[in-house]
Amino acid sequence: MTDAELVVRTRAGEPDAFGMLVSRYYDAAWRFAYHMLGERADAEDVVQDTFLRAYLAIGRYDERDQFRGWFFRILTNQCRNFITSRGRRTRRFVQDEIAIEAAASPPMGLPSGVEDAVLLRALAQLDPLQREALLLKYAEGMEYTEMSAMTGVGESALKMRVKRGSERLRALLAKSGDVRP
């Protein structure tokens, strides 16, 4: 069953249809949110909030858009909002460097596909917009046109974010001694 069919069934009041969409996109959404936020619990909260927002807004979904792009637009905005609010909270307290380092380390028992600790720490050090563009391009396999429609950012700006993010990531990995081809 296609995403469009599931959306129609969800709008018709069939809750199992939205459950199928959740099953289809949960892993990718969690992986993206975890890489953006660096904390398992934060990623879980943002993903659940994103699915709730998508369900409540399903009536405003435009069938001309792909559901995946529409959903990831909500997810990306939720991650951005969370990062902004976390930044406000962190500025109020003294930062503990040991706690920050621990937060960048992946928890035990991560789902398959989650990269090793060195890569996760390097991703966590990127500018959030560069990290977002890199993850959408390489982890989610999106094309620049889809990324642009989803984020509202021009393709050339996204290409620059991916380029600069890749260069920075490469430098961080080289610094840690874990350079990859």
Side-chain angles (χ1 to χ4, degrees):
M1 187 170 303
T2 67
D3 291 348
E5 291 169 331
L6 291 172
V7 167
V8 168
R9 290 175 63 187
T10 299
R11 286 179 173 167
E14 198 173 317
D16 290 344
F18 192 76
M20 292 174 75
L21 288 168
V22 170
S23 296
R24 190 172 287 174
Y25 289 102
Y26 183 85
D27 288 342
W30 189 91
R31 186 178 52 247
F32 179 81
Y34 177 75
H35 283 128
M36 283 298 296
L37 306 174
E39 285 286 333
R40 184 181 203 121
D42 295 343
E44 186 67 34
D45 289 346
V46 166
V47 168
Q48 287 188 13
D49 189 47
T50 300
F51 277 114
L52 177 62
R53 287 177 183 270
Y55 182 76
L56 295 173
I58 201 84
R60 294 190 309 265
Y61 167 71
D62 185 352
E63 292 84 9
R64 293 175 291 182
D65 294 335
Q66 288 185 2
F67 179 82
R68 177 179 182 234
W70 179 78
F71 174 76
F72 265 85
R73 185 169 40 245
I74 297 169
L75 177 61
T76 301
N77 286 334
Q78 290 303 109
C79 286
R80 287 176 181 173
N81 292 342
F82 187 88
I83 289 168
T84 301
S85 70
R86 179 171 56 189
R88 285 187 206 123
R89 286 192 310 262
T90 333
R91 281 189 292 248
R92 293 181 192 153
F93 301 101
V94 175
Q95 290 189 355
D96 179 357
E97 294 302 321
I98 295 170
I100 291 170
E101 180 65 25
S105 300
M108 299 299 291
L110 288 175
S112 62
V114 176
E115 306 301 333
D116 64 356
V118 174
L119 181 57
L120 288 173
R121 278 193 292 274
L123 277 171
Q125 294 177 54
L126 293 179
D127 171 78
L129 295 177
Q130 290 174 353
R131 182 171 57 242
E132 174 186 285
L134 275 173
L135 291 172
L136 291 174
K137 179 67 178 159
Y138 296 116
E140 300 307 321
M142 292 186 179
E143 298 295 325
Y144 286 109
T145 53
E146 187 179 9
M147 291 168 58
S148 178
M150 190 187 90
T151 61
V153 176
E155 287 183 44
S156 60
L158 288 168
K159 288 177 183 178
M160 187 56 69
R161 286 179 186 174
V162 168
K163 178 183 181 296
R164 288 182 179 157
S166 296
E167 290 169 352
R168 175 85 171 118
L169 185 60
R170 196 173 296 115
L172 290 167
L173 291 173
K175 185 177 174 183
S176 72
D178 189 34
V179 181
R180 297 178 181 176

